[in-house]
Amino acid sequence: MNATTDKTASTASQLSSGARLAGGAQQKLLAFASLIALVIGFSLASPNFFQVSNIMAILQATSVNGVLAVAATAVILTGGIDLSIGTLMTFCAVVAGVVLTWGGLPLPLGLLAAIGAGALVGLASGTFVARMKIPPFIATLGMMLVLKGLSLIITGAKPIYFNDTPGYTEISQGSLIGLVIPALPVPNGVLVLFLVALAMAFVLSRTVLGRYTYALGSNEEAVRLSGVNTNAWKMAVYALAGGICGIAGILISSRLNSAQPALGLGYELDAIAAVVIGGTSLAGGRGTVLGTLIGALIMSVLTNGLRILSVAPEWQTVVTGAIIILAVYADQLRRQRG
Amino acid sequence: MRDLVNMERIEKRFPGVHALKGVGFDLRAGEVHALMGENGAGKSTLMKILSGVYQPDSGRILVEGREVMFGSPRAAQDHGIGIIHQELALMKDLTVAQNIFIGREPRLSFGRIDEARQNREARELFAALNIDIDPRRPVDGLSIARQQMVEIAKALSARSKVLIMDEPTAALTDGEIGELFAMIEKLKSEGVGIVYISHKMDEIKRISDRVTVMRDGEYVGTVEAQDTPISRIIEMMVGRALSDEAVVVPDLTRAETALEVIDLNRGREIRTVSFSLRKGEILGFAGLMGAGRTEVARAIFGADPRESGDILVRGHKADIRSPADAVKAGIGYLSEDRKHFGLALGMNVADNIALASLPAFANGVGRLDDGRMHRVARDFIARLGIRTPSEHQEVRLLSGGNQQKVVIAKWLLRDCDILIFDEPTRGIDIGAKSEIYRLLADLAADGKAIIVISSELPEVLRVSHRIAVMCEGQLTGFLPGGADTTQEQIMQLATDRSGLRQATRQEETA
């Protein structure tokens, strides 16, 4: 008897998640089709494009922006925005450098410190937004500048190298998958992106935090009047996003084998662009992690493909900008018709 | 009287909806023509076509006998058709005159705006309408009624011969309604034709000459307002005669007290309000707009702060500082504005029902049991008779009555046994209203303690076991429910300012 009810429950749950996926899939179809079209187009245009080594390079280039975009997705779904994610990433890298290189502490502590610092800063941003009612754009703009300054102050504007931490570069550059399947040398950075995205997709679609994230973006006042402590949940979302920025900080410093304090500004805009291309509404309440991943891939395929075709980097930026406008326009058209 | 407008065989389809099925409508110069029908009957669509917002799929529109085609609201305006939307569309940081002439500003050379002329013409308009508004002040801070006057002046400044008003009195006090009606009479006498959309039967009787009723996108009929009884108009609207059940007041003398409010205060809005509510009781809150009923409800619920006063739930003092505290104490609040304060419109029925109870569906690490959530939602859909294809439907696609039931389900699931309904049938079809009334009675019979705030006196009399009346922040008295209480008795208390004067005197002497 019990077994039967459980079974019905799990079938129902599968059904419901199926329905949700189907609804989201429609929204992402366009972005996904564009991605495929870009890949086919570049493959036809240059024989160098569709090579395992180049595909791996594209994926590797996606990893940092992808992780940041996953963080941005959560905040944007609440109807907010986080402009500090780029410089927060750098700040977390600096924290890792301070703990590992200057402090000489073991590697796991450095990673924990980076992620923890990210979560704390996110919590602070969340407090400004939720409790002190500072508009997210302003609060995180301020935070962006504060963090940029702090990174420069702490390091004296000089990079911190990780030469004394053996294996640090492996975090991003090595390939655990390649060890098992030598034909598939997927860099660890890509694996990390995949895991972060998977975890965030789970949180957003299957947990209380995720459901409130969508609900906040859909109608915050209705959620508050339902007796939900909206401030606390919103702060949790910003903290979660901050922690993920910590992971991005580890990835980028591992790739560069150093924490570069001047880096970071501008990364937030690339991440937000990926989120928007992936079909997430800046008004909140609508969007998915899968869409964001596709958005991030479109951006790096474009950059990589144009470079292979020897298009000047200046033009790559122009094209990326045009794609963002087109993507959002297409989404508008679809919504007006629907 | 000559015809200003003739609309013939108007067809309009939206994806999935046949909104207008060969509808006809005409308007004469100098008449008020009421357009009635339940929500979704097609009134607004028809008027949006007349004002150029939508284009018809087929059919003809004639203005003063000549066939016209409106490609945009601007084109309709050029033919003298103005519309005053239910939600006022003024720019609050601009001045009154700037709002009136937006898009048609008188110009000087080099594209400069002739502000002086703009202000002068606005002043002349207001003078002609007998209204005293300074054209140079910003719109921000004007009352809703005054903003509406500005909208009307704006429509008239474009030399409108046809004025469409969509529920113009929804947010007005009785005095302001009188002012509006005087203005409508004046416009009538000048030959302006007015299309008047409203749900309020008494208003229709008061000012309209003819009534056209629509139902499900179809034209039902046009009748003379004065010769037609209200019951006949309602019958035309719902397609059947409605039985009017009277409230049955249960004996609650031995029922335990669910909620006690003692000396609730906040500024001028809430002045020493005290009352108690028993299990199984429906306490109606009557009063005019701005009497403080919603403020009292929101203060009890913790949505707004209170200055002083105690709230006792089942005899124990409840420390309510936020909606979260109120919900923990078992109090649920159903706002009059469901779309803004009650529902996450883009989310589905199941999510909305579970919105106040999500943690109850989660395991230790916060993972949601969607299967259980959807089963519970299906139970409520069946129990409350929510008409929806499934629990996966987004709530924005449901009708007002069914949205209200979703909000009710949310609070029932959260096990709230004190429910505060603020205007529970606002925006809900007449047919669905009686269903909500029955639901309220059933909930009370189940032992829930219920407060119903309503601005419609017949509604207060229809549902309440006991009636509390407020005036300017004070509770001016209680009346028993049942057939013996009249609207006049309520109105007397609702306009009773004697207590207030006394209180003010006391403040002065103290």
Side-chain angles (χ1 to χ4, degrees), chain B residues 94-307:
Chain B
L94 299 190
T95 69
V96 168
Q98 283 165 351
N99 267 284
I100 290 176
F101 290 98
I102 191 88
R104 302 174 285 118
E105 294 84 355
R107 300 280 180 90
L108 297 169
S109 54
F110 301 112
R112 289 172 303 142
I113 293 174
D114 191 347
E115 296 274 359
R117 186 170 142 210
Q118 197 167 270
N119 289 334
R120 195 175 59 240
E121 286 184 13
R123 201 170 294 118
E124 285 163 10
L125 268 171
F126 286 130
L129 291 167
N130 276 331
I131 324 170
D132 178 35
I133 299 178
D134 181 359
R136 289 166 306 178
R137 61 156 296 159
V139 163
D140 198 20
L142 283 178
S143 69
I144 299 287
R146 300 247 121 182
Q147 291 189 30
Q148 210 160 41
M149 306 279 173
V150 174
E151 284 268 22
I152 292 170
K154 180 176 165 185
L156 293 176
S157 77
R159 271 180 281 285
S160 295
K161 293 167 290 195
V162 174
L163 211 52
I164 304 165
M165 297 188 181
D166 193 354
E167 300 227 26
T169 59
L172 301 192
T173 64
D174 277 5
E176 292 167 334
I177 291 174
E179 220 174 307
L180 176 72
F181 283 2
M183 189 151 117
I184 289 178
E185 288 296 336
K186 187 161 163 40
L187 293 172
K188 261 177 77 167
S189 67
E190 284 162 16
V192 176
I194 292 162
V195 183
Y196 192 90
I197 301 178
S198 174
H199 285 112
K200 298 186 186 163
M201 292 294 167
D202 51 328
E203 286 180 5
I204 300 294
K205 277 284 189 189
R206 241 170 94 189
I207 60 153
S208 64
D209 300 295
R210 290 191 297 161
V211 180
T212 288
V213 177
M214 292 179 66
R215 187 172 67 233
D216 298 331
E218 283 178 85
Y219 171 83
V220 177
T222 302
V223 295
E224 295 292 328
Q226 295 317 313
D227 316 339
T228 316
I230 286 173
S231 60
R232 171 70 194 132
I233 296 177
I234 292 179
E235 221 177 291
M236 287 168 75
M237 283 168 63
V238 298
R240 61 181 193 281
L242 282 182
S243 63
D244 203 18
E245 307 155 49
V247 60
V248 181
V249 181
D251 177 18
L252 294 165
T253 43
R254 257 179 281 170
E256 92 185 74
T257 303
L259 174 74
E260 210 170 345
V261 175
I262 303 165
D263 292 343
L264 193 66
N265 268 304
R266 191 183 63 234
R268 296 170 156 276
E269 297 167 309
I270 307 171
R271 297 166 185 254
T272 325
V273 168
S274 304
F275 66 92
S276 68
L277 177 67
R278 289 174 190 271
K279 278 186 74 169
E281 183 179 36
I282 301 179
L283 176 63
F285 260 78
L288 300 173
M289 190 79 64
R293 295 163 301 163
T294 297
E295 286 75 7
V296 167
R298 286 180 59 100
I300 294 172
F301 186 62
D304 295 327
R306 58 180 197 273
E307 271 160 20

Side-chain angles (χ1 to χ4, degrees), chain A residues 206-208 211 219 224 226, chain B residues 339-340 343 351 366 368 410:
Chain A
R206 292 300 164 81
T207 68
V208 178
R211 203 59 51 90
N219 188 346
R224 186 177 83 95
S226 294
Chain B
K339 291 202 166 92
H340 286 116
L343 295 163
D351 285 339
L368 284 170
K410 174 174 82 179

Side-chain angles (χ1 to χ4, degrees), chain A residues 13 18-19 56 70 74 87 90-92 95 121 164 173 179 187 228 289 293 304 311 323 328:
Chain A
S13 136
M56 290 308 150
V70 167
T87 55
T90 300
F91 179 74
C92 294
V95 168
V121 172
D164 306 336
Q173 316 280 65
L179 285 179
V228 176
V289 172
L293 279 188
N304 177 285
V311 176
I323 292 280
V328 177

Side-chain angles (χ1 to χ4, degrees), chain A:
Chain A
M1 183 66 205
N2 259 339
T4 342
T5 22
D6 280 349
K7 210 181 207 166
T8 0
S10 75
T11 330
S13 136
Q14 274 159 14
L15 273 178
S16 77
S17 64
R20 194 169 291 126
L21 277 181
Q26 192 188 354
Q27 179 185 328
K28 290 182 299 269
L29 209 60
L30 193 79
F32 191 64
S34 322
L35 178 60
I36 299 296
L38 279 176
V39 169
I40 292 175
F42 283 129
S43 303
L44 292 178
S46 164
N48 298 330
F49 181 80
F50 206 76
Q51 302 290 334
V52 172
S53 61
N54 191 46
I55 298 295
M56 290 308 150
I58 291 175
L59 290 176
Q60 176 73 299
T62 313
S63 60
V64 169
N65 185 36
V67 169
L68 282 180
V70 167
T73 305
V75 172
I76 289 173
L77 279 175
T78 66
I81 191 92
D82 193 341
L83 296 177
S84 70
I85 53 178
T87 55
L88 176 53
M89 168 185 82
T90 300
F91 179 74
C92 294
V94 168
V95 168
V98 168
V99 171
L100 296 174
T101 304
W102 294 3
L105 293 165
L107 181 61
L109 272 183
L111 304 186
L112 267 177
I115 295 171
L120 275 179
V121 172
L123 190 66
S125 294
T127 309
F128 300 151
V129 172
R131 285 216 198 286
M132 292 157 68
K133 310 287 172 215
I134 301 170
F137 190 95
I138 309 293
T140 59
L141 180 73
M143 189 55 97
M144 168 175 104
L145 296 173
V146 166
L147 291 170
K148 182 181 154 74
L150 282 181
S151 297
L152 290 169
I153 293 166
I154 293 171
T155 58
K158 285 194 275 293
I160 308 177
Y161 291 93
F162 290 96
N163 294 331
D164 306 336
T165 312
Y168 194 77
T169 51
E170 293 296 306
I171 295 172
S172 159
Q173 316 280 65
S175 177
L176 285 177
I177 296 178
L179 285 179
V180 186
I181 317 165
L184 209 66
V186 177
N188 287 340
V190 179
L191 187 66
V192 170
L193 166 61
F194 180 74
L195 293 176
V196 166
L198 206 65
M200 182 57 96
F202 175 80
V203 166
L204 286 179
S205 66
R206 292 300 164 81
T207 68
V208 178
L209 176 62
R211 203 59 51 90
Y212 281 139
T213 302
Y214 282 100
L216 283 171
S218 184
N219 188 346
E220 182 176 340
E221 187 61 7
V223 180
R224 186 177 83 95
L225 291 179
S226 294
V228 176
N229 189 342
T230 45
N231 287 350
W233 289 104
K234 205 190 267 184
M235 285 158 62
V237 174
Y238 278 86
L240 177 64
I244 294 173
C245 291
I247 297 177
I250 294 166
L251 283 185
I252 195 159
S253 55
S254 156
R255 206 159 90 200
L256 304 172
N257 193 27
S258 60
Q260 299 282 346
L263 208 72
L265 218 56
Y267 277 70
E268 67 286 336
L269 296 182
D270 280 345
I272 293 167
V275 174
V276 168
I277 293 174
T280 294
S281 159
L282 276 184
R286 240 165 36 97
T288 55
V289 172
L290 184 54
T292 295
L293 279 188
I294 293 171
L297 278 173
I298 287 180
M299 290 182 65
S300 34
V301 163
L302 210 61
T303 314
N304 177 285
L306 292 174
R307 190 164 52 221
I308 284 183
L309 296 182
S310 309
V311 176
E314 295 81 357
W315 281 104
Q316 295 169 16
T317 328
V318 172
V319 172
T320 311
I323 292 280
I324 294 171
I325 295 170
L326 266 177
V328 177
Y329 179 57
D331 192 44
Q332 283 292 344
L333 282 184
R334 187 187 59 77
R335 253 192 287 177
Q336 276 164 18
R337 243 179 279 131

